[in-house]
Amino acid sequence: MNYQAFVPVPGIIRNISQIPNDCCNQMVSITTPNGPNNFFISSKTIVIGDTRLRPGMPIAAFYDSDLPVPLIYPPQYQAEIITPLRNNEIVTLKFFNRNLIASDNSLQLNLDRNTDISTLNGQRYSCSIGRNFLLVYYTVTTRSIPPQTTPRKIIVLCG
């Protein structure tokens, strides 16, 4: 999968509705600082931690920017990944080199023993995490270039 084209949209779930005549798909409306966004959730959408989504929950929904989207308001995207967030938490999905620096030089990771590292299906990951796409959860960064952080959680997107 081309994770490079995935764009996160953080927000608060405003509403979850069923698609008419389709019991397996849903539409999730979120409120963001830039206005409302709608995300179509299908059986192919990955929901991190198998979390049941509910109104009021802070999330980040990732969509594939290479796919066409209708020019409507509010924007409507196909959700590829949805992840719940903690208060003031930021999530990013980037390729990190062996030195744990993002390919766009936007973030450097400093791991400690409390960093939770797992695979997409929740299994413990015990190999080197460099040279992989990583879903990184963090709250603060340094003002250095690149900014550095000690993440709370990292999900390694293998393959």
Side-chain angles (χ1 to χ4, degrees):
M1 191 173 285
N2 181 18
Y3 295 114
Q4 274 182 289
F6 282 25
V7 175
V9 179
I12 306 290
I13 296 177
R14 184 176 73 192
N15 185 39
I16 302 171
S17 57
Q18 287 297 137
I19 305 298
N21 301 318
D22 188 347
C23 294
C24 292
N25 298 302
Q26 298 176 322
M27 184 66 70
V28 173
S29 299
I30 67 170
T31 302
T32 74
N34 298 323
N37 284 261
N38 293 329
F39 286 90
F40 179 72
I41 299 178
S42 72
S43 59
K44 295 180 182 178
T45 302
I46 298 166
V47 179
I48 301 296
D50 295 324
T51 304
R52 180 173 288 197
L53 303 176
R54 61 188 186 287
M57 175 184 280
I59 65 163
F62 289 82
Y63 69 91
D64 187 342
S65 64
D66 287 343
L67 296 177
V69 294
L71 294 175
I72 59 174
Y73 185 83
Q76 183 172 307
Y77 306 101
Q78 168 64 48
E80 300 295 332
I81 298 174
I82 293 183
T83 183
L85 297 175
R86 293 183 178 177
N87 287 338
N88 300 316
E89 191 166 55
I90 302 165
V91 65
T92 190
L93 174 58
K94 306 259 186 220
F95 183 84
F96 286 82
N97 66 20
R98 62 184 173 87
N99 296 320
L100 302 182
I101 299 173
S103 59
D104 63 358
N105 209 36
S106 63
L107 191 64
Q108 180 175 352
L109 306 179
N110 298 317
L111 303 181
D112 73 10
R113 62 176 217 224
N114 294 324
T115 303
D116 178 16
I117 302 173
S118 65
T119 61
L120 193 54
N121 65 5
Q123 302 306 303
R124 188 169 161 230
Y125 189 84
S126 56
C127 298
S128 171
I129 64 171
R131 297 184 182 162
N132 283 297
F133 279 94
L134 305 176
L135 191 60
V136 180
Y137 299 78
Y138 63 97
T139 53
V140 295
T141 63
T142 64
R143 293 181 185 237
S144 61
I145 297 178
Q148 297 180 36
T149 190
T150 302
R152 172 185 70 84
K153 179 177 180 176
I154 297 173
I155 297 176
V156 181
L157 302 177
C158 301

